[in-house]
């Protein structure tokens, strides 16, 4: 190869979502104490049970220690230096999109998420979250015809308090871990989805998260409930402006699937990753977990992780119901000084449960990309099966790829298979493609896209092509 | 459990060649944290069993106590040299080593011990326990190819902690067949540290049998350093220990070496056997072929943790690791964790892990040929173990009551 590191050059395209929207925001002062928790709850007019939930979580959080086992080497966060609530001013309820601040609409337009329903060609309903609040949810009425509820968590608290009371914190208890406790105490907004019995959600649902303020933490909460025999596909996208400081994003996502229900949760995460020297960027410390509560229920996670200076998350499935199915498909790409420690947990509780894990990690630059996962077959999980495959691709000799699969079995009548491999883009393959008249960069992106094919196949159509483009963009200038 | 300080005080005063090492080991031991479940490497260990080891007094036999048959710690047969660690004498005393094998003693031994200490300062309990308590040491230098087998046998004295250390240096082009046997006895513990240094083109075939009996514990450490062109092959079978922790750590210093690890652990009753292997590639073009097999039955717990590090310089490394496990009872447990840490980009690394029980189709096939289910199960289990046991050589299989063992598994 004549060029120094051409696959390495393909990843360094500037971050195009790094602009800041100049909008008046209402922020509370920095720091966290019991009063702040009460203030957030008051601002959102929450019922007592939720305030109690928050305060309990806050007290638990105070007793917890920030975990450091992943060895991510980030400087300790100062939790008193974060703003826990920021919202664009004039947050009265919008009757229609026309009342939403045009600047906000413009922001989302720029991000390629037109909230205006006429402009939206594809069949996707969007909930757009800007800093701490949800600013708009599209296609609500159309969804309501089928009985599907898709709104922000704040609205759900007002309109469906019973559902919130039953399910909030039922999959990820507030004391589950340090960041989930923090989130439970201060969560600001997020999406709520409820699919009633037997309904196949007629369109893709999607949330779009945007962090705008540099000193604000984002703590959203997503709750999806699929009742018996229903199904839904949900997409999540994220971006943030470029700041020199690190911003904390500690979300909690809870999924509940009852008998024969199926939930597909896809994420394309493209938070600002910091610059080449690793300055700035989002700390993406998220707890995502689904509970396959019902018989034959299914939860499928697919994720494309390309942004964030540190990604630390393990979307998991608790396979409780008989014959329930958990899936995890992931592509994680890290470049420059990014760190990703991601994977999944498949906890097989019920009999004849099945899980599949496909994880593809690509590390370029000086980044560190780790797969960490747990497959656990409990003592009642007769006939449980798991198949895991973890492949890593290394680009350049400064990146590292690590695999830490934890495998535990307590039932003899079960099968676990785990495979992992590491490879790089071979010169022979590149040479072959080039000899067929394909340009170098295109050849590299073909190879990468081929490497990730198993995962992209699982993404909803339009996301798949987007993810493919995103990877090509991110890889620009990194191969050699 | 004895407190660390109490344990150290209960040990005999440091003396002899091992004086410095014992002193250092004891200092380090006192500084180290007591293992807890929140420390990753002790996450799954039944710690009370580890702590029990400290309650055992160090084995010291006075001269007249030595059993007549073990009076001679050395026997030479046609094809092998056998060293027994049973007596409290210097195990190498009064033995005649064949040409090409030299003892390392006195000042030379002290120097080697000192160098090794600097390279591998004991970082955890099993190592510092060995450092603190070792009172038997075998130091050998191998100068040329050896056709004879070197057998080192440790028969643990019951109700005590038996601690020993082996250092073997293989010079360039030298080769050795090493057979190490650890036998536990009632309420005993063995702590071993085997250090093997392979110079260029050296070959070492290391076979290791560790067989426990009632309430016996094993802390087995093996540190290997390989230079360019060397071949190290480790074949091990461990079973019967109430608690065993086997930790082979292999470093390919400059790459281009070959490492082959084939290990089998069989856990029955309420045993807990752990293997924590670690292979470090510090140079290019190294090879690793690792297969770890485990069987867990009754209420036992089998643990495997296989770590592989590929440094930036270790381009063209080819490493494969496979962990295959059979879980045969509802009350048994298997934990396996193959770990890969890779920085070099032009490498082929793969690992795999499976946990299952015997394949129904295979059982069905054998049954369809008129073989009863019991026998078919025994046959398949035997075949499963045979892949590793075959490599231990026929002579030593006789020592290993593997058939009895398989029968007991089958019940």
């Amino acid at each position: 190869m004549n060029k120094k590191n051409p696959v390495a050059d393909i990843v360094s395209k500037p971050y195009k979502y790094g602009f800041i929207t100049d909008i008046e925001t209402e922020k509370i002062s920095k720091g966290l104490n019991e009063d702040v928790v009460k203030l957030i709850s008051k601002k959102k007019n929450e019922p007592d049970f939720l305030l109690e939930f928050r305060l309990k979580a806050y007290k638990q959080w105070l007793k917890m220690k920030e975990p450091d086992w992943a060895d991510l080497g980030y400087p300790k966060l100062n939790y008193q230096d974060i703003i826990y609530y920021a919202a664009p001013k004039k947050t009265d309820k919008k009757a229609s999109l026309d009342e939403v601040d045009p600047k906000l609409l413009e922001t989302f337009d720029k991000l390629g998420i037109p909230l205006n329903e006429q402009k939206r060609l594809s069949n996707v309903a969007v909930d757009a979250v800007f800093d701490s609040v949800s600013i708009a949810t599209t296609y609500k009425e159309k969804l309501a015809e089928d009985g599907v509820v898709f709104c922000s968590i704040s609205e759900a608290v007002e309109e469906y308090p019973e559902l919130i009371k039953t399910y909030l914190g039922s999959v990820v208890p507030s004391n589950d871990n340090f960041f989930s406790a923090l989130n439970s105490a201060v969560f600001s907004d997020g999406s709520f989805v409820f699919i009633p019995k037997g309904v196949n959600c007629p369109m893709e649902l999607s949330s779009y998260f945007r962090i705008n303020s540099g000193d604000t933490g984002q703590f959203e909460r997503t709750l999806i409930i699929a009742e018996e025999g229903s199904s839904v596909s949900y997409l999540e996208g994220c971006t943030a402006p470029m700041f020199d400081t690190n911003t904390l994003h500690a979300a909690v996502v809870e999924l509940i699937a009852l008998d024969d229900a199926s939930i597909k949760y896809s994420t394309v995460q493209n938070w600002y990753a910091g610059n080449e020297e690793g300055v700035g960027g989002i700390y993406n410390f998220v707890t995502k977990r689904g509970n396959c509560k019902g018989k034959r229920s299914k939860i499928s996670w697919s994720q494309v992780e390309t942004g964030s200076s540190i990604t630390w998350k393990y979307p998991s499935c608790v396979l409780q119901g008989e014959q329930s199915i958990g899936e995890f498909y992931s592509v994680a790409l890290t470049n420059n000084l990014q760190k990703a420690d991601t994977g999944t947990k498949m906890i097989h509780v019920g009999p004849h449960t099945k899980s599949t894990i496909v994880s593809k990690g690509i590390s370029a630059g000086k980044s560190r990309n780790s797969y960490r996962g747990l497959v656990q077959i409990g003592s009642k999980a007769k006939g449980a099966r798991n198949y895991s495959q973890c492949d890593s691709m290394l680009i350049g000799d400064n990146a590292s790829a690590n695999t830490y699969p934890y495998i535990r079995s307590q039932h003899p009548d079960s099968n676990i298979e785990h495979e992992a491999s590491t490879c790089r883009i071979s010169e022979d393959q590149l040479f072959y493609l080039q000899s067929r008249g394909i340009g170098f960069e295109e050849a590299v992106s073909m190879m990468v896209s081929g490497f990730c094919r198993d995962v992209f196949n699982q993404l909803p159509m339009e996301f798949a092509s987007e993810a493919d483009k995103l990877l090509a963009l991110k890889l620009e200038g990194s191969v050699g | 459990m004895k407190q660390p300080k109490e344990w150290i005080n209960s040990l005999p005063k440091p003396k002899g060649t091992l004086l410095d090492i014992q002193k250092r080991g004891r200092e380090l031991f006192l500084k180290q944290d007591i293992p807890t479940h929140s420390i990753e490497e002790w996450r799954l260990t039944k710690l009370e069993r580890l702590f029990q080891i400290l309650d055992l007094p160090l084995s010291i036999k006075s001269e007249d106590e030595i059993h007549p048959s073990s009076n001679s710690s050395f026997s030479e047969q046609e094809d092998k040299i056998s060293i027994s660690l049973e007596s409290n004498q210097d195990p190498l005393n009064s033995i005649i080593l064949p040409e090409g094998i030299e003892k390392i003693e006195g000042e030379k031994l002290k120097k080697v011990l000192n160098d090794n200490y600097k390279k591998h300062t004991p970082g955890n309990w099993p190592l510092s326990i060995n450092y603190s308590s070792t009172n038997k040491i075998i130091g050998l230098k191998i100068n040329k190819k050896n056709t004879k087998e070197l057998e080192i046998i440790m028969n643990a004295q019951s109700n005590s902690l038996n601690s020993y250390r082996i250092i073997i240096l293989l010079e360039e082009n030298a080769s050795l067949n090493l057979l190490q046997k650890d036998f536990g006895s009632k309420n005993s513990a063995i702590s071993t540290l085997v250090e093997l240094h392979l110079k260029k083109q050296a070959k070492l075939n290391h076979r290791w049998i560790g067989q426990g009996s009632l309430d016996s514990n094993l802390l087995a450490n093996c540190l290997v350093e390989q230079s360019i062109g060397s071949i190290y092959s480790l074949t091990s079978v461990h079973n019967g220990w109430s608690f065993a922790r086997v930790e082979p750590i292999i470093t390919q210093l400059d790459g281009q070496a070959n490492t082959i690890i084939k290990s089998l652990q069989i856990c029955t009753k309420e045993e807990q056997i752990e293997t924590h292997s670690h292979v470090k590639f510090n140079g290019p073009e190294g090879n690793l072929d690792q297969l770890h097999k485990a069987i867990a039955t009754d209420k036992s717990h089998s643990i495997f943790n296989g770590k592989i590090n590929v440094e930036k310089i270790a381009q063209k490394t080819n490493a494969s690791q496979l962990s295959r496990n059979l879980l045969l009872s509802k009350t048994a447990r298997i934990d396996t964790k193959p770990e890969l840490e890779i920085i070099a980009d032009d490498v082929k690394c793969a690992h795999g892990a499976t946990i299952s029980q015997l394949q129904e189709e295979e059982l069905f096939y054998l049954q369809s040929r008129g073989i009863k289910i019991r026998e078919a199960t025994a046959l398949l289990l035997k075949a499963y173990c045979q892949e590793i046991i075959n490599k231990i050589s026929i002579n030593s299989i006789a020592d290993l009551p593997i058939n009895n063992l398989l029968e007991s598994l089958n019940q």
Side-chain angles (χ1 to χ4, degrees):
Chain A
M1 287 290 101
N2 48 356
K3 288 157 243 172
K4 199 184 94 246
N5 197 348
V7 183
D9 292 332
I10 305 181
V11 196
S12 314
K13 186 124 194 220
Y15 183 68
K16 73 172 187 182
Y17 305 111
F19 61 88
I20 303 169
T21 309
D22 183 19
I23 189 161
E24 234 186 306
T25 33
E26 180 202 358
K27 290 179 184 173
I28 60 171
S29 51
K30 280 182 182 175
L32 180 59
N33 52 45
E34 215 170 292
D35 293 334
V36 170
V37 177
K38 283 181 185 155
L39 183 67
I40 294 173
S41 185
K42 200 178 156 202
K43 278 194 179 293
K44 305 181 78 67
N45 279 326
E46 285 173 355
D48 289 344
F49 78 87
L50 208 54
L51 177 64
E52 273 164 34
F53 176 83
R54 285 174 184 277
L55 288 173
K56 195 175 141 208
Y58 174 70
K59 278 178 195 140
Q60 283 161 333
W61 179 76
L62 283 179
K63 285 185 213 145
M64 289 171 143
K65 253 174 77 183
E66 190 171 341
D68 58 359
W69 44 262
D71 195 19
L72 293 165
Y74 61 94
K76 277 252 175 283
L77 289 170
N78 179 0
Y79 291 93
Q80 297 307 334
D81 201 33
I82 297 173
I83 293 173
Y84 288 87
Y85 184 85
K89 269 214 170 131
K90 214 175 79 175
T91 53
D92 313 336
K93 250 188 129 185
K94 310 293 174 312
S96 78
L97 273 174
D98 308 334
E99 287 174 36
V100 176
D101 191 322
K103 264 191 195 157
L104 280 177
L105 290 181
E106 203 182 296
T107 304
F108 281 91
D109 267 346
K110 251 168 136 178
L111 296 170
I113 323 283
L115 296 175
N116 195 327
E117 284 169 24
Q118 282 86 42
K119 275 196 207 158
R120 193 76 192 172
L121 293 168
S122 44
N123 197 23
V124 178
V126 181
D127 179 31
V129 178
F130 190 87
D131 281 339
S132 300
V133 291
S134 164
I135 53 157
T137 311
T138 59
Y139 290 114
K140 259 169 127 173
E141 293 76 20
K142 197 172 167 207
L143 287 168
E145 286 169 20
D146 287 296
V148 174
V149 178
F150 179 41
C151 62
S152 70
I153 277 267
S154 322
E155 282 172 62
V157 168
E158 278 175 39
E159 287 168 38
Y160 314 96
E162 282 312 308
L163 284 174
I164 298 285
K165 207 171 172 180
T166 320
Y167 290 109
L168 192 75
S170 69
V171 185
V172 182
S174 53
N175 61 353
D176 186 76
N177 65 64
F178 183 82
F179 296 104
S180 74
L182 179 64
N183 174 287
S184 303
V186 301
F187 73 91
S188 40
D189 217 334
S191 309
F192 173 80
V193 176
F194 176 81
I195 317 287
K197 248 185 202 176
V199 172
N200 288 329
C201 187
M203 56 176 83
E204 306 261 349
L205 304 183
S206 117
S207 278
Y208 197 88
F209 297 105
R210 171 80 181 166
I211 294 180
N212 194 51
S213 318
D215 44 6
T216 317
Q218 180 141 349
F219 307 93
E220 84 270 357
R221 191 136 191 148
T222 305
L223 178 60
I224 300 179
I225 303 154
E227 277 205 326
E228 289 86 349
S230 65
S231 75
V232 61
S233 166
Y234 184 88
L235 332 169
E236 176 195 76
C238 345
T239 56
M242 295 191 272
F243 288 110
D244 291 344
T245 49
N246 295 105
T247 316
L248 177 66
H249 173 244
V252 171
V253 176
E254 295 175 284
L255 313 183
I256 295 133
L258 301 181
D259 288 1
D260 299 297
S262 120
I263 302 176
K264 189 180 173 80
Y265 194 104
S266 317
T267 307
V268 172
Q269 184 263 106
N270 188 19
W271 295 115
Y272 176 54
N275 67 9
E276 276 154 46
E277 278 86 48
V279 178
I282 304 280
Y283 290 159
N284 190 29
F285 301 163
V286 178
T287 310
K288 290 184 172 179
R289 194 175 304 156
N291 187 0
C292 284
K293 219 173 170 180
K295 288 177 186 166
R296 298 169 299 278
S297 56
K298 178 178 172 185
I299 288 180
S300 171
W301 298 99
S302 34
Q303 59 171 18
V304 178
E305 301 282 327
T306 61
S308 294
S309 91
I310 302 175
T311 300
W312 190 7
K313 66 172 207 181
Y314 313 98
S316 312
C317 295
V318 180
L319 302 167
Q320 216 179 327
E322 209 176 311
Q323 292 181 42
S324 57
I325 298 173
E327 290 175 351
F328 176 75
Y329 299 94
S330 162
V331 167
L333 176 120
T334 53
N335 193 13
N336 298 323
L337 289 162
Q338 269 178 281
K339 285 174 190 155
D341 197 306
T342 182
T344 184
K345 293 184 202 171
M346 291 291 173
I347 319 273
H348 293 255
V349 181
H352 303 289
T353 44
K354 278 185 203 158
S355 63
T356 308
I357 300 170
V358 177
S359 162
K360 308 274 180 180
I362 305 162
S363 18
K366 290 180 184 161
S367 67
R368 196 183 131 149
N369 199 330
S370 309
Y371 167 82
R372 195 186 299 269
L374 169 73
V375 175
Q376 185 174 336
I377 309 268
S379 53
K380 287 177 186 149
K382 184 175 189 284
R385 290 189 72 100
N386 161 267
Y387 172 74
S388 317
Q389 186 191 340
C390 306
D391 297 326
S392 324
M393 184 185 265
L394 286 137
I395 298 174
D397 54 6
N398 286 315
S400 74
N402 309 320
T403 323
Y404 310 97
Y406 292 71
I407 303 165
R408 158 179 297 186
S409 178
Q410 288 177 284
H411 201 293
D413 189 11
S414 65
N415 266 304
I416 303 180
E417 287 170 79
H418 172 93
E419 266 179 64
S421 73
T422 302
C423 66
R424 70 165 191 168
I425 299 178
S426 87
E427 283 175 18
D428 296 353
Q429 289 163 317
L430 282 179
F431 179 77
Y432 174 77
L433 289 172
Q434 282 177 285
S435 75
R436 311 296 274 186
I438 295 165
F440 181 81
E441 300 214 334
E442 205 183 324
V444 169
S445 83
M446 260 168 108
M447 300 285 302
V448 170
S449 143
F451 175 73
C452 304
R453 183 59 44 204
D454 296 349
V455 175
F456 287 168
N457 281 345
Q458 299 298 325
L459 290 172
M461 258 278 272
E462 55 219 277
F463 249 36
S465 61
E466 215 172 279
D468 220 1
K469 271 187 237 149
L470 187 64
L471 277 201
L473 262 181
K474 280 266 164 181
L475 273 174
E476 221 155 89
S478 76
V479 184
Chain B
M1 168 207 165
K2 265 195 189 122
Q3 286 305 307
K5 199 151 189 188
E6 260 179 275
W7 181 68
I8 292 292
N9 289 336
S10 75
L11 295 173
K13 282 229 162 72
K15 60 176 182 189
T17 327
L18 293 162
L19 178 125
D20 283 348
I21 288 304
Q22 290 176 354
K23 271 190 181 168
R24 282 174 179 168
R26 293 174 193 191
E27 274 168 30
L28 278 168
F29 181 77
L30 288 176
K31 276 186 207 155
Q32 280 159 5
D33 293 331
I34 296 175
T36 62
H37 285 144
S38 59
I39 302 172
E40 176 76 17
E41 60 172 321
W42 298 107
R43 193 168 57 96
L44 302 161
T45 304
K46 287 183 176 151
L47 291 170
E48 67 282 3
R49 298 198 185 168
L50 173 72
F51 298 148
Q52 267 172 19
I53 295 175
L54 299 190
D55 290 333
L56 296 168
L58 196 61
S59 83
I60 298 169
K61 282 184 185 172
S62 63
E63 299 283 315
D64 50 288
E65 264 180 75
I66 297 168
H67 198 264
S69 68
S70 63
N71 218 343
S72 145
S73 62
F74 161 73
S75 68
E76 189 175 0
Q77 293 159 16
E78 255 178 37
D79 55 346
K80 71 173 172 188
I81 313 151
S82 187
I83 302 172
S84 163
L85 290 160
E86 213 165 328
S87 83
N88 202 39
Q89 295 165 327
D90 176 357
L92 291 178
N93 219 357
S94 79
I95 75 161
I96 313 128
L97 289 166
E99 203 192 333
I101 302 185
E102 267 176 56
K103 288 182 209 172
I104 310 174
E105 305 173 289
E107 286 308 308
K108 265 191 196 164
L109 182 60
K110 275 190 184 167
K111 191 178 173 301
V112 175
L113 285 169
N114 199 24
D115 290 349
N116 283 354
Y117 174 82
K118 278 180 196 156
K119 270 189 265 177
H120 303 281
T121 309
N124 63 8
W125 262 36
L127 274 177
S128 61
I129 286 178
N130 186 277
Y131 263 72
S132 309
S133 61
T134 296
N135 50 13
K136 298 184 189 81
I137 184 159
I138 296 177
L140 294 172
K141 194 163 119 190
I142 316 293
N143 296 317
K144 59 172 213 173
K145 289 195 171 73
N146 276 284
T147 45
K148 279 190 184 176
E149 184 176 87
L150 177 68
E151 186 181 49
I152 299 175
I153 307 169
M154 164 52 107
N155 276 309
Q157 194 189 334
S158 52
N159 302 315
S160 60
L161 167 65
N162 302 264
S163 194
Y164 74 98
R165 184 162 169 177
I166 300 173
I167 296 179
I168 298 178
L169 308 180
L170 279 98
E171 292 296 313
E172 269 181 42
N173 291 310
S175 73
L176 180 72
N177 257 320
L178 173 67
L179 178 60
Q180 191 188 346
K181 295 177 180 172
D182 293 317
F183 295 116
S185 60
K186 196 166 179 268
N187 190 29
S188 71
I190 295 180
S191 158
T192 130
L193 170 56
V194 186
E195 284 159 287
L196 306 165
H197 301 262
L198 284 78
K199 290 211 175 146
K200 281 182 189 169
Q201 316 292 342
K203 279 185 199 165
L204 177 59
N205 182 11
H206 183 192
R207 287 159 301 146
W208 197 353
I209 298 171
Q211 215 198 334
S213 66
L214 287 170
D215 295 323
S216 59
N217 304 292
L218 173 73
L219 292 177
N221 299 282
C222 177
L223 301 172
V224 185
E225 282 186 342
Q226 288 186 262
S227 304
I228 288 176
S230 62
I231 302 176
Y232 173 67
S233 162
L234 170 66
T235 312
S236 68
V237 176
H238 286 95
N239 71 284
W241 303 92
S242 154
F243 167 67
R245 189 177 170 99
V246 183
E247 294 184 73
I249 300 175
I250 295 143
T251 313
Q252 295 199 358
L253 297 170
D254 306 296
Q256 288 182 37
N258 232 320
T259 309
I260 302 141
I261 305 174
K262 308 274 169 190
S263 43
L264 171 68
Q265 67 192 35
I266 302 170
C267 312
T268 56
K269 296 173 198 130
E270 291 185 16
E271 295 160 11
Q272 182 178 53
I273 302 185
E274 307 182 36
T275 296
H276 297 253
S277 74
H278 189 174
V279 182
K280 299 179 217 176
F281 291 93
N282 290 347
E285 294 173 49
N287 277 312
L288 166 71
D289 173 13
Q290 183 175 11
L291 171 65
H292 180 82
K293 286 190 164 184
I295 299 178
T297 173
D298 299 333
K299 289 181 180 168
S300 64
H301 187 185
S302 161
I303 300 167
F304 172 68
N305 195 353
K307 198 169 179 177
I308 298 174
N309 273 91
V310 183
E311 294 303 326
K312 191 176 164 185
I313 189 173
Q315 295 293 354
K316 306 239 184 261
T317 294
N318 187 351
S320 78
Q321 182 188 65
L322 184 60
S323 157
R324 293 190 58 195
N325 303 278
L326 281 182
L327 182 61
L328 300 179
S329 118
K330 277 187 185 172
T331 40
R333 220 170 106 180
I334 290 181
D335 277 271
T336 176
K337 181 182 165 211
E339 265 185 76
L340 269 175
E341 290 191 6
I342 302 167
I343 302 181
D345 63 339
D346 187 9
V347 296
K348 265 193 216 158
C349 286
H351 68 205
T354 59
I355 304 180
S356 64
Q357 58 169 349
L358 292 172
Q359 296 301 314
E360 267 176 41
E361 287 128 54
E362 291 172 4
L363 283 172
F364 179 76
Y365 174 78
L366 289 173
Q367 282 178 280
S368 76
R369 312 296 273 185
I371 299 168
K372 286 189 186 115
I373 179 95
R374 251 185 85 100
E375 285 156 20
T377 313
L379 198 62
L380 286 176
L381 280 177
K382 195 170 176 180
Y384 180 83
C385 299
Q386 210 68 25
E387 189 181 354
I388 310 283
I389 290 168
N390 273 351
K391 292 197 66 177
I392 295 232
S393 96
I394 296 155
N395 267 348
S396 32
I397 289 194
D399 301 333
L400 195 74
I402 193 75
N403 289 321
N404 298 348
L405 186 78
L406 291 176
E407 253 165 46
S408 75
L409 283 182
N410 201 18
Q411 277 158 15

